[in-house]
Amino acid sequence: MVRELNNMKKNKLARETAIFELEDHGQLKIPAVMLVRGDIPRNAQGLAARLAHQFLNQNHGILRDFAIEGNVNYDGSEVYIQLHAGGQAGALPLLSPTSGRPDYGLVIKPRFGWQGVGTMLGAMGWKVVPVPLRLPLLPRSDRKIPPWVLSTTILLRLQKLLDRLDRSFEFTEDILNAPRGQVNWTRYATTNIPRAGFLNVPCRFPDLKDDRDLKGAIHYTLRKQLSSLQSQRTAGVIVLQLLSLCQRLLEKVRDVPIIMPTQHTLNRWLQGNLSTEIFRKGIQAVEWTVEDRGLAGLGDLQGLPWVLPMDQFFEAWVETVAGQLAKGTGGTLKRGRQRETLTPLSWNPPYLGSQRYLLPDLILEREGETIIIDAKYKNHWEELNRENWAGLEKELREQHREDLLQVLAYSTASESKRVVCCLAYPCREQTWHSLLKRQRLFHKASVRAGNRRVELILTAVPMGIGPEEICPELGRAISA
């Protein structure tokens, strides 16, 4: 009887708070009956259907922001909620239709796995990292995400904070060889002069020093992060890189004693008049560590909502690969992320214009040629190599046509004799090696553009393989 009661309590708790999990661009079916609180009635599916529609309505805004599509379906025996994720990894709280509180959460993992993503984060210099969100905390955590993910965000915020740490005047007493500030003439006359210490002048003066309390709090935070990272050494090279960064930051605060800040102190820092964005984010990183909060899926406490746009992440990864290719070939790389590739569009009259500019992801310029690279975080490459063109779904074919037309439009802004347009899609490591072995890494075409020919290349850029392995193959394809 006791065991049955315990099982009933566990099942009730599982219905009241839950964390769901899926991969980006993946689908998830959630039985709608789990939204029912208390004892399940006889007409459970009817009640579950009403709660499911209410659940989607209440969470419409946050699901839309995460590019998640939600529907309520019935398979003949059970009502379920179907969620289709977009291209964002992250974790988000979801409101309960019965309590109105964030009793549920959704964790979206990168479909290429955290180990590969970790390798790429370090290789690209942490251009794109998970961003914590100002949303309610998730109800609980199931350790679905590696702890080093949050450590990456915290350490980078602390690095920026230490680089731009506000400095303040503090009064210091010291013996100087010339008067400065307020001089203790009595001590100088009665103690130093009789001992021939004519150049030993006791002074009290304002000195520009770092905020020691804040540096002490940063010291405390770095120590806790170091301890966490040391327990994750087997997670891969990304942890070793983070450990190295943490040690470098510790060198900057080693002369300040460790101080665990109180919540009152943290609030005072955050509410200060001189709080900049870097300062605010740095203090937040300290606060998360002090309170032992983790990204949703990390710890035993409530999790922080966060987001990692995978399209931006993949674009930064392709940028890293292209940057190494540029170094090896002597070309100049322009980055759309920094608005270096922007080409304005002139409309007449101006107010009728829709698209205001062209913005390729990357442009690699070499003598007499321009290589335009557009990164697309989609499934197209996997699908194209699994099915022939006629076998693809109509929507997928339309999306692929849009990609082709977009990258060909970019070619019109170049005056080089040779223009190469390259569409780069992500793929898994094993897929890339298989394509390489079968010599199917690249699909090529060309089109006449006046007196010149524009070349088109479709290729896959693997997730989790170092740029030094990818660049030679990409370089040969572009130069061929």
Side-chain angles (χ1 to χ4, degrees):
M1 176 65 70
V2 174
R3 181 177 299 177
E4 292 178 359
L5 289 174
N6 288 336
N7 288 336
M8 289 175 62
K9 290 179 180 178
K10 289 180 180 178
N11 292 334
K12 181 179 179 182
L13 180 62
R15 290 200 305 271
E16 292 179 353
T17 62
I19 298 287
F20 310 114
E21 179 184 9
L22 76 163
E23 294 181 345
D24 73 78
H25 288 100
Q27 296 188 33
L28 174 69
K29 289 184 177 181
I30 304 173
V33 72
M34 75 166 300
L35 299 174
V36 179
R37 294 289 181 98
D39 297 330
I40 298 179
R42 183 171 298 178
N43 62 337
Q45 294 304 318
L47 176 60
R50 291 193 297 272
L51 291 175
H53 284 288
Q54 188 177 344
F55 174 81
L56 291 181
N57 289 334
Q58 284 181 304
N59 295 286
H60 173 74
I62 191 169
L63 292 175
R64 180 197 60 213
D65 292 343
F66 271 75
I68 299 173
E69 297 179 3
N71 296 289
V72 178
N73 295 318
Y74 179 64
D75 61 6
S77 61
E78 185 179 35
V79 178
Y80 59 89
I81 301 169
Q82 183 165 343
L83 300 178
H84 189 286
Q88 298 192 84
L92 59 151
L94 297 172
L95 298 176
S96 166
T98 53
S99 70
R101 296 191 299 267
D103 293 333
Y104 304 107
L106 182 65
V107 174
I108 309 169
K109 303 189 301 183
R111 69 179 186 270
F112 295 100
W114 278 115
Q115 186 173 3
V117 167
T119 302
M120 296 159 67
L121 275 172
M124 69 173 66
W126 297 294
K127 291 185 179 73
V128 180
V129 295
V131 179
L133 302 172
R134 295 182 180 179
L135 293 172
L137 298 176
L138 274 73
R140 61 187 180 89
S141 174
D142 288 339
R143 297 184 179 274
K144 298 179 185 298
I145 310 299
W148 57 258
V149 177
L150 180 59
S151 294
T152 303
T153 302
I154 288 177
L155 291 180
L156 293 178
R157 287 189 174 195
L158 294 181
Q159 183 181 36
K160 291 181 179 179
L161 178 58
L162 285 171
D163 288 342
R164 302 188 184 183
L165 186 61
D166 290 337
R167 298 166 66 87
S168 57
F169 284 101
E170 295 181 4
F171 278 95
T172 301
E173 293 186 2
D174 200 359
I175 303 297
L176 306 178
N177 57 10
R180 179 183 176 187
Q182 182 181 359
V183 179
N184 190 337
W185 293 112
T186 302
R187 178 182 170 188
Y188 179 72
T190 59
T191 303
N192 295 0
I193 291 180
R195 297 178 180 177
F198 300 102
L199 296 180
N200 298 331
V201 183
C203 302
R204 185 174 184 268
F205 53 91
D207 190 19
L208 196 60
K209 291 189 175 181
D210 294 326
D211 189 320
R212 295 181 66 83
D213 290 342
L214 178 54
K215 291 188 73 173
I218 295 174
H219 194 171
Y220 170 83
T221 304
L222 291 172
R223 286 292 178 186
K224 288 198 68 173
Q225 291 298 322
L226 182 67
S227 176
S228 173
L229 290 168
Q230 286 175 336
S231 66
Q232 305 172 60
R233 285 182 174 272
T234 58
V237 66
I238 180 64
V239 175
L240 300 180
Q241 292 173 329
L242 290 173
L243 280 169
S244 176
L245 173 60
C246 190
Q247 292 284 9
R248 293 199 302 271
L249 297 180
L250 276 169
E251 288 298 323
K252 297 184 177 182
V253 295
R254 202 173 293 276
D255 59 330
V256 179
I258 295 174
I259 300 175
M260 179 179 175
T262 64
Q263 188 60 52
H264 174 74
T265 302
L266 292 170
N267 291 338
R268 177 169 55 83
W269 284 334
L270 288 172
Q271 296 170 6
N273 295 329
L274 299 178
S275 294
T276 62
E277 185 71 7
I278 290 177
F279 184 88
R280 184 183 61 79
K281 288 183 176 181
I283 299 303
Q284 283 181 339
V286 173
E287 184 178 28
W288 298 334
T289 306
V290 170
E291 297 183 356
D292 287 320
R293 293 183 185 176
L295 289 178
L298 294 182
D300 298 319
L301 302 179
Q302 292 175 312
L304 291 168
W306 57 279
V307 64
L308 176 62
M310 293 304 297
D311 55 345
Q312 297 179 22
F313 181 87
F314 181 63
E315 180 184 332
W317 176 239
V318 175
E319 177 186 323
T320 302
V321 174
Q324 186 152 326
L325 180 64
K327 290 180 181 178
T329 59
T332 301
L333 183 65
K334 295 181 179 179
R335 300 163 176 82
R337 185 171 57 88
Q338 300 176 358
R339 316 291 283 185
E340 296 171 345
T341 65
L342 188 145
T343 301
L345 295 178
S346 299
W347 295 89
N348 188 18
Y351 58 84
L352 291 180
S354 53
Q355 185 73 15
R356 297 294 180 180
Y357 52 81
L358 299 177
L359 188 67
D361 292 337
L362 301 161
I363 296 179
L364 177 58
E365 294 180 336
R366 301 189 294 198
E367 186 176 357
E369 64 179 4
T370 298
I371 297 96
I372 301 168
I373 303 175
D374 215 34
K376 300 294 184 183
Y377 189 76
K378 299 178 180 178
N379 288 322
H380 292 3
W381 187 264
E382 301 277 356
E383 297 293 341
L384 282 171
N385 284 276
R386 188 181 302 117
E387 302 280 351
N388 57 33
W389 179 255
L392 294 178
E393 296 180 2
K394 181 180 179 180
E395 182 180 356
L396 188 61
R397 292 201 301 268
E398 289 300 323
Q399 290 179 4
H400 186 62
R401 286 193 185 97
E402 290 177 5
D403 294 345
L404 291 174
L405 294 175
Q406 182 181 25
V407 76
L408 289 174
Y410 293 155
S411 69
T412 61
S414 174
E415 298 180 355
S416 299
K417 294 180 180 179
R418 180 175 184 249
V419 179
V420 179
C421 297
C422 180
L423 280 175
Y425 295 103
C427 73
R428 291 175 172 80
E429 180 178 350
Q430 57 269 30
T431 302
W432 190 81
H433 284 299
S434 173
L435 293 171
L436 176 61
K437 185 177 180 180
R438 292 179 286 144
Q439 297 183 345
R440 293 186 58 188
L441 270 180
F442 306 95
H443 298 308
K444 296 185 177 182
S446 62
V447 60
R448 282 286 182 185
N451 295 325
R452 61 178 182 168
R453 183 181 295 273
V454 176
E455 300 173 36
L456 178 65
I457 298 177
L458 307 183
T459 188
V461 176
M463 308 282 273
I465 298 179
E468 65 282 352
E469 190 174 352
I470 305 171
C471 283
E473 302 300 330
L474 182 59
R476 279 192 286 270
I478 291 175
S479 300

